Amino acid sequence: MQALLSISKKIDALNELIGQAVGWALLVAVLICSGNALVRYGFNNSSNGWLEIQWYLFAAVFLLGAPYTLRRNEHVRIDVITGRFSQRTQVWIDLFGFLLFLLPVTALILYLGVPYAWHSIQNQEMSSNAGGLIVWPAKLLIPVGFLLLLLQGFSEIIKRIGFLRGLLEASAFEKQVVTPEDEIAAIKEANQIQ
């Protein structure tokens, strides 16, 4: 079980790193969106390529951010119902949900997404819009995102089993509540280091 917990930590670290990096993609998407709007309305000029890069970036944020969200336990839940149960029962509900819903759905989308992306890569698929971009990078995000989500699902299952066996504290998978004061203190600390 210790080997599985070690693998779980590595999966968590990978998705944490990717999730933080993908936050920058959101900033870039907002800047491109704003710049495109200024150019379009200010100079009556634009390109479909700029619109498409925006949705590529938003797709990256969504697909690569989902495993990060699951890792931080920030995903959509039924806390209104499960909050009434003991922590142990909540963990069993999580395990049931991961095994019955998350893993099968992510595996199915991964199974269907790989040939979908591969076909686009082989054909060097281009957008049908004038001035559009190549399409395969966006389609490749689907299997990559769902592979990372599948891995994170396995990590969450390992952590829940570790908790049930008494090998892990619940803090390893509980939602990390950060107050605004904590965020401000972290920013101040980061600025002092630099």
Side-chain angles (χ1 to χ4, degrees):
M1 187 68 195
Q2 291 301 328
L4 290 174
L5 288 170
S6 176
I7 291 169
S8 173
K9 283 183 183 181
K10 289 178 180 154
I11 293 170
D12 288 354
L14 172 67
N15 281 322
E16 187 77 24
L17 182 69
I18 291 170
Q20 289 175 0
V22 128
W24 291 102
L26 182 58
L27 175 64
V28 172
V30 168
L31 292 173
I32 289 172
C33 181
S34 301
N36 191 35
L38 289 172
V39 169
R40 186 175 344 127
Y41 295 115
F43 301 103
N44 199 23
N45 190 3
S46 186
S47 164
N48 285 329
W50 289 109
L51 295 172
E52 289 181 7
I53 194 69
Q54 285 172 220
W55 71 259
Y56 280 26
L57 290 167
F58 284 127
V61 168
F62 178 78
L63 290 166
L64 302 178
Y68 174 78
T69 303
L70 180 61
R71 184 252 175 276
R72 292 181 158 260
N73 208 18
E74 301 272 341
H75 56 288
V76 176
R77 305 175 54 90
I78 52 171
D79 289 340
V80 173
I81 298 168
T82 61
R84 300 176 184 171
F85 299 123
S86 70
Q87 189 172 39
R88 195 165 182 81
T89 303
Q90 289 176 21
V91 168
W92 278 107
I93 292 169
D94 283 349
L95 274 173
F96 174 76
F98 293 146
L99 292 169
L100 195 65
F101 299 110
L102 179 71
L103 293 186
V105 170
T106 54
L108 177 65
I109 294 172
L110 186 59
Y111 174 76
L112 297 172
V114 168
Y116 178 70
W118 183 247
H119 182 267
S120 183
I121 292 168
Q122 283 181 320
N123 294 326
Q124 293 295 299
E125 185 178 359
M126 294 290 296
S127 170
S128 60
N129 297 320
L133 304 174
I134 55 174
V135 176
W136 67 262
K139 289 186 176 182
L140 184 60
L141 284 171
I142 297 168
V144 170
F146 278 92
L147 175 63
L148 292 170
L149 187 59
L150 185 69
L151 290 173
Q152 191 60 46
F154 282 124
S155 175
E156 296 304 314
I157 289 168
I158 291 166
K159 289 186 281 191
R160 296 324 190 271
I161 292 171
F163 170 78
L164 291 172
R165 294 181 79 188
L167 301 172
L168 203 61
E169 294 293 321
S171 61
F173 55 81
E174 285 181 335
K175 187 174 184 175
Q176 304 299 318
V177 179
V178 179
T179 65
E181 292 81 14
D182 293 339
E183 288 182 359
I184 291 169
I187 291 169
K188 287 180 179 177
E189 183 179 321
N191 287 334
Q192 289 175 353
I193 292 172
Q194 296 172 1

